[in-house]
Amino acid sequence: MNRPERPVLVVIAHGSRDPRHAATVHALVRKVRAQRPGLRVETAFLDFNIPSVPGVLNSLAAEGVRDVVALPLLLTRAFHAKSDIPAVLRQAPSRLRIRLAEVLGPSPLLTAALERRLYEAGLTPADRSRTGVVLASAGSTDPEAIAVIAAIAREWRHTGWCAVRPAFASASLPRTEDAVRELRDLGCERVAVAPYVLAPGFLPDRIARGAAGADVLADVLGPAPEVARVLLERYDEARTPSLAAVGA
């Protein structure tokens, strides 16, 4: 008996005018493919870049593909996850059975990726107790998304860092530079900024400028192996029959 084909994974990124964004997304997708050979993974963008989400879905339908897992390349459930992506998926060809995966965060693997980037930037595990960390995200007007970032910071603090403070590049306060000053005032010997963002762009650049007073600025999460593992976890979760299909 032939085994049913696995659904195609369509990774949906926001897109950006900054070419570094798309390059980083493609690097992450290559890492996902390397971690699971044989899984077909396609990349689509909501805006600014190609291929577009409708373009990818129409191409898959034309090939005869039936099952798709659409995975938002987002760290929190804010406007794009709640509105934009479901709206574009509802316009997909009717022959496609699309399951919408959850956003990536929160996840212990993402926290591990943040620490990987901090250590790559020069910190060591021995620095934890004297280092305050700014968890710097893009920001959102969505209270749920803001609450998630605050919760991640609280939980991360309990793993041995001197202190962890959330910060936001837009829409919410405090800004990165304000959180850096707060950690200095708390008496942390060193201050590090950990961007909780997936790819370079306008808001990550704002985070970097706000980190001017810090001792360490980590890189964006990008194609960290832990991030690729989260994508595959979300894909596997979305394949379970208990999740309702979109457009089925």
Side-chain angles (χ1 to χ4, degrees):
M1 181 181 296
N2 292 330
R3 298 179 62 183
E5 291 188 6
R6 287 181 290 185
V8 174
L9 171 57
V10 177
V11 176
I12 302 177
H14 181 272
S16 171
R17 293 186 178 90
D18 189 322
R20 297 173 299 168
H21 174 91
T24 302
V25 170
H26 289 306
L28 174 58
V29 169
R30 288 194 296 271
K31 188 66 65 76
V32 172
R33 292 184 182 123
Q35 288 194 12
R36 189 167 296 181
L39 173 63
R40 182 173 178 181
V41 187
E42 300 290 343
T43 308
F45 297 91
L46 282 174
D47 206 353
F48 301 117
N49 303 105
I50 55 174
S52 67
V53 178
V56 169
L57 296 178
N58 288 334
S59 294
L60 291 174
E63 289 180 31
V65 170
R66 289 284 292 165
D67 293 302
V68 169
V69 169
L71 195 157
L73 195 62
L74 301 168
L75 295 171
T76 58
R77 275 184 51 79
F79 181 78
H80 295 304
K82 294 178 179 179
S83 180
D84 284 354
I85 291 177
V88 75
L89 294 181
R90 284 193 292 269
Q91 300 171 19
S94 59
R95 68 165 284 114
L96 292 178
R97 292 189 295 257
I98 303 177
R99 296 183 184 276
L100 179 57
E102 289 292 337
V103 298
L104 303 186
S107 168
L109 285 169
L110 294 178
T111 305
L114 287 166
E115 296 195 347
R116 170 190 291 275
R117 294 301 189 225
L118 286 170
Y119 295 149
E120 289 171 349
L123 291 180
T124 70
D127 295 320
R128 295 174 80 96
S129 63
R130 60 192 183 95
T131 302
V133 179
V134 178
L135 179 67
S137 75
S140 173
T141 57
D142 188 300
E144 179 185 350
I146 298 303
V148 167
I149 300 300
I152 293 170
R154 287 195 301 271
E155 292 176 10
W156 201 13
R157 162 69 181 85
H158 296 307
T159 63
W161 298 101
C162 172
V164 180
R165 293 290 185 272
F168 307 94
S170 68
S172 307
L173 295 174
R175 295 287 184 258
T176 303
E177 52 269 32
D178 299 326
V180 169
R181 284 193 294 269
E182 181 183 353
L183 291 173
R184 294 282 189 209
D185 292 342
L186 280 174
C188 297
E189 291 183 34
R190 304 186 74 187
V191 175
V193 174
Y196 190 60
V197 293
L198 288 165
F202 176 75
L203 293 178
D205 284 349
R206 182 179 288 177
I207 289 172
R209 290 192 298 271
D215 301 295
V216 173
L217 170 61
D219 200 358
V220 298
L221 295 174
E226 296 87 355
V227 179
R229 286 171 58 194
V230 177
L231 265 70
L232 290 170
E233 282 189 357
R234 298 293 181 256
Y235 170 80
D236 291 336
E237 292 163 359
R239 292 178 63 195
T240 61
S242 61
L243 294 183
V246 177

